[in-house]
Amino acid sequence: MANPKPFHWGAVFSLLALIMLNLAWELWLAPLRPGGSWLVLKAVVLLLPLMGVLKERVYTYQWSSMFILAFFAEGVMRAWGDKGLSQQLAMLEVWLTVLYFSSVVLYVRAKRLQLSS
């Protein structure tokens, strides 16, 4: 029987890290415009699944696995099109979204196995 807790904490860590990365990226590290850009609002969008993930709601895990793919796509496109620090931050975003997606899928699978036994 698989324990879902490690996958839960993987999802929590990667989601919080994505929020912090997006805030830092668009406000200080490599914003599109000097002084910050409105793209910082994408960090606010990442707050939508946060409470459900923290409370281990399976439904939130399920819909957020599709939701996070938009951030994956953005990271891939910016890793391909940007240069310098912004490109490195985009690669980190891709890595964190893959970690989140994997953690979510494995959490839901472990939770279902736990409930069925």
Side-chain angles (χ1 to χ4, degrees), residues 32-90:
L32 289 178
R33 291 179 177 62
S37 73
W38 284 101
L39 274 178
V40 74
L41 293 177
K42 68 184 179 180
V44 174
V45 174
L46 284 169
L47 293 173
L48 292 173
L50 184 60
M51 287 310 295
V53 169
L54 289 172
K55 293 179 180 180
E56 299 185 55
R57 293 186 178 144
V58 173
Y59 182 72
T60 303
Y61 277 87
Q62 290 171 329
W63 69 258
S64 69
S65 69
M66 294 295 110
F67 167 85
I68 205 69
L69 295 177
F71 289 86
F72 174 79
E74 184 224 7
V76 168
M77 293 306 296
R78 290 188 73 177
W80 178 60
D82 290 359
K83 300 289 181 231
L85 180 60
S86 185
Q87 185 179 41
Q88 293 171 347
L89 294 171

Side-chain angles (χ1 to χ4, degrees), residues 1-4 106-117:
M1 178 168 68
N3 181 10
L106 292 170
Y107 174 83
V108 170
R109 183 175 180 210
K111 196 71 168 177
R112 285 204 173 139
L113 285 173
Q114 187 181 50
L115 293 174
S116 68
S117 59

Side-chain angles (χ1 to χ4, degrees), residues 6-16 53 61 99-100 103-104 107:
F7 306 122
H8 164 71
W9 290 114
V12 169
F13 164 77
S14 56
L15 185 58
L16 290 173
V53 169
Y61 277 87
L99 177 62
Y100 181 79
S103 296
V104 163
Y107 174 83

